């Protein structure tokens, strides 16, 4: 049985291996850092977030400072999908971002049915925003019939 | 040697100590405890008897509508810009001060702070004969050291008595803005100690017999730049909280004391149980994330926030050790109570928005920090710009929790990358066109771009990181009240996008100037000009860096009079690259700026930012790329270079096959240039931060903390952190210039 861990990673509970969700490549032991099974590239961030302002005129151009920030791009060695984009200062040790207890994971999934695709769930935050915007627009529309006392900084 | 004291002696000793405590400062016993208090005798007795779940549900509904009603009152009557656009809350607490419920649309973090001052009042003022807590009393508070996000938020808290017995507490809080600090607007980035932060209200009684005490109100008005605002909003908060009191009294009359007290306590305990249930559904293990803040708002400084979340059964531990040390004389520190309030907010905004908005969500989570770190700052250090670490605290969940929760067979909310997490707005102050002194901030703060979702692009300028419920305001209204004129009409910031399979929601440009004031100025409190702030998820990229742009030494109104077509369109990139206004000084700067005077018609420009992207850019549906192009969100250069789509630039028709081939060959290029992880680390990883980088926090080992103190790099043990003292940036600049002069003089002599 597989357990989906990210958009591009799963753990095969039977073999206890990390696998690529795009091509099935085996990245290594699920008890180890999955990054060890991937390829890494040190990307200059200004290639991704390109300068929008004239670099002849300005130092700050909306591009990150490559002496402060690098992007470590992690690729599947078999299909080349980009699994992670990790932003770090130059030379900073990559973070062991996922470290699961495989024995308890197996126990936990013993009675669960396999999940093959991300279980969808509503964007509740967005729903709340939309609801609130409705309330605000009601208050605002109401204000035009009512008192409009700007001198006191009030908008009734 | 010591004999055990008798109860009587102990009592005398306690009284002696209490009477002789010279200063009732922030109390660590209160401030470091975010957990529910044990049941009081009253709560225990009521819950032991058992409560009717249907009645609890009914009373909760009534409380919600009462909280909603008082929220609306403040929202509609409040004078502060923050009140108008939703930067407020009303809440109800147990008699012991545990926050039970807040207004459905209120700011979680504000209320998640008020239980600290209420606990302070309960501990210190109830039995103090010179203060006391009686029916009709009301207490005010703004000092975040006693609980709060920052000192610009002011609260009104009242005890509710029923038949002579204290039953619960009620509160309302508004982000007021102006508070008499060393810079106008309530968020003084230039504060170098707590004494620069303006009025500092520890919880004190400002209402008796349900009326404001005019002598104290006058004192407070005298302490801020906007005395009318101070008075009006104190009145508004009091009236709203009194309305809430009426509603709660009606509930008490109808259902009785036991029903209300039981509901408030049961609600908290039920949420805590639900939290533990959700935690136990997660896999056991640890996920980690590091965040970087790149400015102290006075100078560039790279500060790390390190977070490891560990789940074991129904326990969750958040470990922030290894984060940057606090600054002694910079305002970007946060105290631990404020930081926990941000965590509570972030959990409810980003992970489980369906949970009731109460402090009980955080109660079962254990939080470990280094004392004297940037998120657990203590002492005299300023914390007026605590928003910097607090906003990071709001979004710190997104990456590690999605790595825990992606697998789950039952999910409660969407998978979303980080929202843009900077306070990207103008803070202002000076003389208005009406001759009044004012200081405050613009509602643009409420337009942070949403992170991309696992199945859809993020929404543009959706909300602030600290609340779904805030609106971005209306410029016509603020233009009537202040000299600020908007030259740009909130256009989305083209090409400034967190790229991914799904792109993030974007932010808008803000272009402002001033007119009709003899004395006006702006400041900004933002980071992310060197190191991007909003992180992508699962291969998605972060947002770009953002800058503050200025066009100075001109008056745009005079230029427009001379030539109405001098500026074709107020678009930041075009203005800066084409420099259409003659004789102007154009500059691009860090997003953080302490208060600066803006002469009539000078132009200041910033952006709201994009969230983080989701997934591999090569997986983005070419149709979505064409949609972004047709909406002018991005340039052709990025469509081709980032997304690798082959299409016709005029018709926007995609060549599907050519795109597939291009992407396939690009994947091969990736494989060719990537190095195996172990080999990469051996070549790339350095034993310590680069010498020229002003770096703060751990590097590899979370127990070893780097910092820069009085201009020198130092290394500390994580459990023995000291605050960093920063040199005055102007002194640093002067000594650099003096060295340059010396050099020039030397070379002139030798010639
Ligand atoms: Zn693969």
């Amino acid at each position: 049985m597989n357990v989906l861990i990210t958009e591009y990673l799963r753990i095969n509970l039977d073999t206890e291996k990390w696998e690529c969700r795009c091509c099935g490549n085996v990245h290594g032991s699920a008890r180890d850092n999955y990054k060890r099974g991937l390829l890494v590239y040190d990307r200059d961030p200004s290639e991704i977030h390109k300068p929008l302002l004239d670099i002849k005129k300005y130092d700050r151009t909306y591009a990150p400072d490559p002496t402060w920030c690098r992007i470590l791009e992690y690729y599947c060695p078999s299909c080349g999908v980009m699994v992670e984009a990790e932003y770090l200062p130059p030379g900073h040790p990559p973070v062991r971002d996922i470290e699961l207890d495989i024995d308890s994971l197996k126990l936990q999934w013993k009675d669960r049915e396999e999940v093959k695709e991300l279980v969808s769930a509503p964007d509740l935050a967005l729903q709340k925003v939309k609801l609130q915007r409705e309330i605000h627009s009601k208050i605002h529309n109401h204000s035009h019939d009512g008192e409009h006392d700007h001198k006191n900084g009030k908008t009734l | 040697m010591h004999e055990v004291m008798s109860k009587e002696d102990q009592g005398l000793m306690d009284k002696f100590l209490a009477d002789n405590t010279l200063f009732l400062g922030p109390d660590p016993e209160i401030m470091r405890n975010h957990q529910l208090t044990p049941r009081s005798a009253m709560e225990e007795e009521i819950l032991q008897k058992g409560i009717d779940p249907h009645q609890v549900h009914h009373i909760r509904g009534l409380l919600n509508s009462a909280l909603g009603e008082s929220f609306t009152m403040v929202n509609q009557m409040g004078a502060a810009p923050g009140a108008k656009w939703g930067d407020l809350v009303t809440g109800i607490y147990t008699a012991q001060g545990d926050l039970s419920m807040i207004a459905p649309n209120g700011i979680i973090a504000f209320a998640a702070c008020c239980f600290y001052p209420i606990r302070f009042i309960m501990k210190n003022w109830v039995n103090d004969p010179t203060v006391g807590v009686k029916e009709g009393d009301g207490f005010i508070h703004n000092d975040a050291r006693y609980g709060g996000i920052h000192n610009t938020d002011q609260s009104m808290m009242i005890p509710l008595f029923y038949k002579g017995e204290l039953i619960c507490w009620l509160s309302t809080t508004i982000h007021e803005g102006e508070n008499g600090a060393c810079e106008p607007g309530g968020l003084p980035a230039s504060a170098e100690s707590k004494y620069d932060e303006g009025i500092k209200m520890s919880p004190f009684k400002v209402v008796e017999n349900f009326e404001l005490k005019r002598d104290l109100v006058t004192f407070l008005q005298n302490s801020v730049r906007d005395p009318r605002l101070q008075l009006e909003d104190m009145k508004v908060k009091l009236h709203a909280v009194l309305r809430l009191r009426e509603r709660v009294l009606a509930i008490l009359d109808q259902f009785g004391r036991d029903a209300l007290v039981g509901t408030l306590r049961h609600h908290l305990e039920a949420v805590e149980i639900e939290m533990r249930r959700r935690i136990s559904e997660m896999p056991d293990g640890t996920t980690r994330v590091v965040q970087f803040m790149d400015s102290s708002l006075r100078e560039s400084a790279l500060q790390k926030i390190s977070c490891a979340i560990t789940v074991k059964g129904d326990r969750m531990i958040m470990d922030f050790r290894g984060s940057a040390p606090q600054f002694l004389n910079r305002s970007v520190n946060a105290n631990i109570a404020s930081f926990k309030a941000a965590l509570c907010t972030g959990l409810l905004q980003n992970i489980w928005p369906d949970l009731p908005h109460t402090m009980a969500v955080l109660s079962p989570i254990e939080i470990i920090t280094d004392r004297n770190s940037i998120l657990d700052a203590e002492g005299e250090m300023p914390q007026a710009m605590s928003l910097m670490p607090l906003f990071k605290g709001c979004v710190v969940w997104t990456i590690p929790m999605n790595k825990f929760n992606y697998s789950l067979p039952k999910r409660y909310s969407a998978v979303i990358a980080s929202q843009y997490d900077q306070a990207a707005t103008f803070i202002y102050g000076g003389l208005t066109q009406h001759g009044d002194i004012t200081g405050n901030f613009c509602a643009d703060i409420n337009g942070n771009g949403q992170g991309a979702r696992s199945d859809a692009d993020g929404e543009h300028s959706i909300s602030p990181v600290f609340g779904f419920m805030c609106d971005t305001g209306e410029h016509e209204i603020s233009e009537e009240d202040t000299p600020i004129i908007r030259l740009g009409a909130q256009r989305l910031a083209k090409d400034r996008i967190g790229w991914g399979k799904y792109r993030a929601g974007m932010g808008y440009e803000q272009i402002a100037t001033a007119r009709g004031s003899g004395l006006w100025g702006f400041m900004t409190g933002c980071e992310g000009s060197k190191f991007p702030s909003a992180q992508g998820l699962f291969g998605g990229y972060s947002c770009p860096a953002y800058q503050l742009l200025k066009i100075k030494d001109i008056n745009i109104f005079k230029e427009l009079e001379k030539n109405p077509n001098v500026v074709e369109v107020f678009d930041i990139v075009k203005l800066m690259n084409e420099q259409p206004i003659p004789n102007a000084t154009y500059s691009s700067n860090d997003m953080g700026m302490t208060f600066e005077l803006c002469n009539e018609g000078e132009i200041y420009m910033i952006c709201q930012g994009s969230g983080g992207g989701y997934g591999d850019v090569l997986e983005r549906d070419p149709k979505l790329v064409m949609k972004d192009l047709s909406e002018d969100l991005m340039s052709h250069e990025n469509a081709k270079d980032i997304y690798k789509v082959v299409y016709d630039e005029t018709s926007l028709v995609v060549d599907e096959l050519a795109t597939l081939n291009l992407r396939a060959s690009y994947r091969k290029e990736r494989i060719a240039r990537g190095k195996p992880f172990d080999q990469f680390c051996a070549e790339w990883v350095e034993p310590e931060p680069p010498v020229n980088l002003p770096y703060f926090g751990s590097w590899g080992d979370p127990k070893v903390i780097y910092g820069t103190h009085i201009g020198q790099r130092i290394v500390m043990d994580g459990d023995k952190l000291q605050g960093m003292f920063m040199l005055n940036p102007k002194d640093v600049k002067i000594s650099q210039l003096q060295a340059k002069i010396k050099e020039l003089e030397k070379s002139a002599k030798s010639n």
Side-chain angles (χ1 to χ4, degrees):
Chain A
M1 176 155 77
N2 292 319
V3 179
L4 310 181
I5 303 296
T6 81
E7 177 82 9
Y8 303 116
L9 294 170
R10 67 181 179 226
I11 288 176
N12 182 326
L13 285 184
D14 306 316
T15 61
E16 296 191 4
K17 301 281 189 200
W18 285 106
E19 293 177 359
C20 176
R21 284 184 66 200
C22 299
C23 72
N25 185 65
V26 177
H27 296 325
S29 167
R31 294 173 192 270
D32 197 355
N33 187 352
Y34 71 86
K35 288 179 177 173
R36 296 188 67 200
L38 303 180
L39 302 174
V40 197
Y41 177 66
D42 170 19
R43 173 79 90 159
D44 180 336
S46 61
E47 292 172 14
I48 301 299
H49 311 288
K50 298 192 185 101
L52 298 176
L53 303 185
D54 188 340
I55 53 170
K56 293 194 288 294
K57 293 190 174 92
Y58 309 105
D59 290 337
R60 296 174 188 80
T61 60
Y62 290 105
D65 183 337
T67 67
W68 281 53
C69 169
R70 311 296 299 182
I71 307 173
L72 301 192
E73 297 186 350
Y74 294 86
Y75 311 131
C76 168
S78 153
C79 69
V81 74
M82 186 155 71
V83 177
E84 279 286 326
E86 185 175 17
Y87 286 58
L88 289 174
H92 187 290
V95 175
R96 173 95 187 260
D97 59 336
I98 308 177
E99 193 172 354
L100 299 180
D101 180 333
I102 301 304
D103 297 320
S104 2
L105 194 67
K106 285 174 134 173
L107 216 59
Q108 205 168 26
W109 281 86
K110 200 163 52 81
D111 305 317
R112 285 182 184 165
E113 232 170 89
E114 183 165 354
V115 174
K116 301 228 156 103
E117 281 303 324
L118 172 69
V119 176
S120 69
D123 184 350
L124 295 168
L126 180 64
Q127 287 175 11
K128 286 184 187 238
V129 168
K130 288 193 165 154
L131 182 73
Q132 186 56 22
R133 281 184 190 160
E134 253 172 60
I135 296 170
H136 268 294
S137 78
K138 262 187 216 152
I139 290 171
H140 175 65
N141 290 339
H142 175 75
S143 79
H144 284 288
D145 329 317
E147 196 187 345
H148 221 99
D149 184 1
H150 287 303
K151 238 186 152 183
N152 293 324
K154 278 192 192 169
T155 319
L156 280 171
Chain B
M1 291 283 282
H2 287 284
E3 287 166 44
V4 180
M5 262 191 231
S6 72
K7 226 178 176 176
E8 205 175 314
D9 286 347
Q10 182 68 53
L12 281 171
M13 180 61 120
D14 288 349
K15 186 176 183 323
F16 174 80
L17 287 175
D19 290 346
N20 290 283
T21 303
L22 288 176
F23 172 50
L24 292 172
D27 185 342
E29 191 181 282
I30 295 171
M31 298 307 297
R32 302 197 72 82
N33 179 11
H34 66 282
Q35 279 159 339
L36 298 185
T37 51
R39 285 180 186 177
S40 67
M42 179 175 30
E43 289 166 345
E44 180 65 31
E45 185 208 316
I46 292 166
L47 290 168
Q48 278 299 328
K49 273 190 276 179
I51 48 170
D52 172 6
H54 294 290
Q55 197 181 56
V56 166
H57 186 71
H58 188 66
I59 294 176
R60 223 164 22 198
L62 293 172
L63 286 172
N64 255 328
S65 61
L67 288 161
E69 178 194 34
S70 53
F71 177 93
T72 307
M73 280 176 75
V74 181
N75 193 198
Q76 295 199 18
M77 299 193 308
K84 289 174 194 161
W85 312 123
D87 212 348
L88 69 121
V89 79
T90 53
I92 181 165
Y93 308 74
T94 67
Q96 301 190 95
D98 287 341
L99 169 66
S100 187
M101 293 171 69
I102 70 165
N105 296 307
I107 298 290
I108 303 153
F110 289 178
C113 291
C114 264
F115 64 88
Y116 296 109
I118 292 172
R119 284 178 181 177
F120 178 91
I121 294 166
M122 293 299 290
K123 184 171 172 178
N124 296 300
W125 297 157
V126 169
N127 294 319
D128 188 317
T130 67
V131 190
V133 175
K134 293 183 290 294
E135 172 114 25
D137 287 349
F139 294 81
I140 193 170
H141 144 267
N142 84 320
D143 188 348
R145 287 169 187 77
Y146 291 83
I149 289 296
H150 44 207
N151 293 10
T152 182
D153 304 328
Q154 296 188 17
S155 299
M156 177 69 71
M157 298 160 283
I158 66 164
L160 185 142
F161 287 86
Y162 188 65
K163 299 181 178 163
E165 186 180 25
L166 176 63
I167 297 294
C168 62
W169 285 83
L170 308 171
S171 80
T172 171
T173 304
I174 303 179
H175 179 117
E176 292 295 353
E178 176 48 34
N179 64 357
C182 62
E183 294 176 303
L187 298 166
S190 71
E192 294 216 349
S193 82
K194 72 176 199 176
Y195 307 103
D196 295 333
E197 291 179 334
I199 44 171
K200 233 174 245 42
M201 297 184 262
S202 51
F204 66 87
K205 196 186 292 184
V206 74
V207 173
E208 268 173 353
N209 298 319
F210 307 107
E211 295 209 69
L212 289 169
K213 285 163 67 80
R214 199 64 202 250
D215 54 344
L216 290 175
V217 174
T218 304
F219 160 66
L220 295 175
Q221 288 180 286
N222 189 45
S223 307
V224 300
R225 292 177 183 82
D226 202 333
R228 203 155 58 191
L229 172 76
Q230 184 64 35
L231 172 66
E232 279 181 25
D233 277 359
M234 283 179 77
K235 278 188 190 163
V236 167
K237 277 176 287 198
L238 177 60
H239 286 296
V241 85
L242 289 180
R243 173 72 66 86
L244 179 57
R245 177 178 173 272
E246 278 170 34
R247 299 294 185 227
V248 177
L249 284 175
I251 293 171
L252 282 162
D253 283 338
Q254 191 182 348
F255 298 94
R257 149 211 194 251
D258 289 8
L260 181 78
V261 171
T263 298
L264 293 178
R265 180 70 200 189
H266 171 79
H267 184 65
L268 287 167
E269 293 183 6
V271 171
E272 199 177 65
I273 290 167
E274 172 62 7
M275 269 299 292
R276 289 205 185 273
R277 194 190 64 74
R278 289 191 185 191
I279 292 168
S280 63
E281 284 179 349
M282 296 166 63
D284 281 1
T286 301
T287 59
R288 298 182 183 86
V289 70
V290 290
Q291 302 170 303
F292 291 95
M293 306 184 287
D294 67 3
S295 167
S296 69
L297 302 180
R298 299 284 300 280
E299 60 267 287
S300 294
L302 194 59
Q303 311 141 65
K304 177 176 176 175
I305 290 184
S306 177
C307 174
I309 301 182
T310 296
V311 169
K312 199 158 178 50
D314 67 356
R315 282 181 69 199
M316 179 182 280
I317 302 135
M318 294 186 91
D319 188 346
F320 289 97
R321 287 175 296 185
S323 298
Q326 67 173 335
F327 291 108
L328 288 178
N329 58 343
R330 293 293 179 263
S331 63
V332 294
N333 303 294
N335 73 55
I336 186 65
S338 305
F339 191 73
K340 285 172 179 171
L343 292 177
C344 183
T345 301
L347 182 70
L348 289 170
Q349 173 131 333
N350 292 299
I351 309 301
W352 290 321
D354 58 320
L355 287 177
H357 292 182
T358 149
M359 68 175 276
V361 296
L362 208 61
S363 188
I365 300 175
E366 298 153 57
I367 295 163
I368 310 174
T369 54
D370 289 324
R371 301 284 284 258
N372 292 325
S373 64
I374 194 95
L375 44 83
D376 187 357
E378 296 180 292
E380 304 263 296
M381 81 301 149
Q383 54 180 53
M385 266 296 181
S386 58
L387 282 187
M388 302 296 102
L390 297 187
F391 279 14
K392 292 289 175 201
C394 289
V395 298
V396 73
W397 299 96
T398 49
I399 291 178
M401 285 298 267
N402 279 316
K403 285 173 180 169
F404 266 128
N405 286 346
Y406 190 93
S407 63
L408 296 186
K410 177 164 173 38
R411 302 183 37 76
Y412 302 94
S413 185
V415 174
I416 312 179
S418 293
Q419 189 174 7
Y420 183 63
D421 57 4
Q422 295 299 322
T425 190
F426 287 113
I427 304 165
Y428 57 77
L431 275 173
T432 71
Q433 60 272 47
H434 314 296
D436 300 324
I437 294 176
T438 192
N440 225 300
F441 76 126
C442 298
D444 284 311
I445 193 173
N446 295 339
N448 294 141
Q450 188 188 28
R453 292 164 281 182
S454 62
D455 57 353
D457 291 340
E459 292 275 324
H460 304 309
S461 297
I462 181 173
S463 74
V465 285
F466 53 83
F468 334 95
M469 54 300 285
C470 297
D471 200 0
T472 56
E474 284 154 70
H475 294 315
E476 308 83 62
I477 291 172
S478 66
E479 284 180 7
E480 287 179 45
D481 292 339
T482 72
I484 303 171
I485 302 284
R486 295 294 179 148
L487 298 168
Q490 295 195 314
R491 9 175 350 121
L492 288 174
K494 184 174 173 177
D495 282 322
R496 280 144 284 179
I497 304 176
W499 317 108
K501 173 182 178 180
Y502 293 104
R503 61 144 177 79
M506 297 159 64
Y508 44 72
E509 297 189 345
Q510 304 162 48
I511 306 183
T513 182
R515 181 183 211 176
S517 163
L519 195 60
W520 194 252
F522 291 111
M523 63 168 275
T524 51
C526 259
E527 301 173 340
S529 293
K530 285 173 169 290
F531 200 110
S533 49
Q535 294 174 302
L537 185 62
F538 302 156
Y541 288 112
S542 297
C543 67
Y546 288 90
Q547 339 289 162
L548 162 72
L549 303 313
K550 301 179 198 169
I551 306 177
K552 301 271 286 182
D553 304 322
I554 48 105
N555 178 342
I556 185 62
F557 302 110
K558 289 211 168 123
E559 297 299 327
L560 286 167
E561 260 169 44
K562 275 189 261 172
N563 173 9
N565 301 319
V566 62
V567 174
E568 183 197 334
V569 53
F570 282 95
D571 168 311
I572 294 178
V573 172
K574 262 175 114 66
L575 280 169
M576 294 302 290
N577 285 341
E578 294 170 12
Q579 302 191 341
I581 308 161
N583 304 317
T585 307
Y586 295 81
S587 68
S588 177
N589 312 273
D590 278 348
M591 272 282 266
M593 172 180 74
T594 51
F595 188 75
E596 180 175 294
L597 290 177
C598 167
N599 288 321
E600 176 135 335
E602 290 185 326
I603 302 171
Y604 286 75
M605 305 183 282
I606 56 174
C607 284
Q608 260 297 353
S610 162
Y614 182 95
D616 183 355
V617 282
L618 294 190
E619 294 209 316
R620 183 160 179 76
D621 185 339
K623 281 199 248 5
L624 291 176
V625 179
M626 294 307 108
K627 185 166 173 279
D628 286 349
L629 285 170
S630 67
E631 290 174 6
D632 200 29
L633 300 183
M634 65 187 286
S635 59
H636 290 294
E637 188 193 351
N638 280 321
K640 290 174 180 170
D641 226 36
I642 301 290
Y643 291 126
K644 309 289 178 200
V645 182
V646 184
Y647 63 96
D648 180 275
E649 280 192 24
T650 14
S651 67
L652 298 185
V653 172
V654 176
D655 184 336
E656 306 268 355
L657 188 64
T659 301
L660 270 178
N661 288 335
L662 180 64
R663 287 179 166 186
S665 72
Y666 191 68
R667 284 193 182 92
K668 288 210 179 87
E669 268 179 52
R670 284 175 170 177
I671 293 168
R673 71 173 174 234
K675 286 182 184 164
F677 182 72
D678 289 344
Q679 184 199 337
F680 177 86
C681 289
E683 292 169 15
W684 195 74
V685 171
E686 297 291 340
E688 51 183 59
V691 187
N692 297 325
L693 199 62
Y695 186 85
F696 300 82
S698 62
W699 190 248
D701 181 351
K703 293 189 281 299
V704 180
I705 311 289
Y706 294 84
T708 301
H709 183 56
I710 323 180
Q712 300 290 323
R713 172 166 289 174
I714 61 166
V715 186
M716 295 164 281
D717 290 338
D719 55 0
K720 294 183 204 70
L721 289 186
Q722 63 175 89
M724 300 291 99
F725 188 90
M726 304 299 283
L727 299 171
N728 187 330
K730 276 189 180 156
D731 290 343
V732 174
K733 186 98 200 166
I734 289 169
S735 65
Q736 282 167 352
L737 292 174
Q738 278 172 335
K740 214 172 236 171
I741 291 171
K742 231 177 214 169
E743 221 172 85
L744 289 172
E745 282 173 348
K746 218 166 149 190
S747 67
K749 259 184 212 159
S750 63
N751 284 342

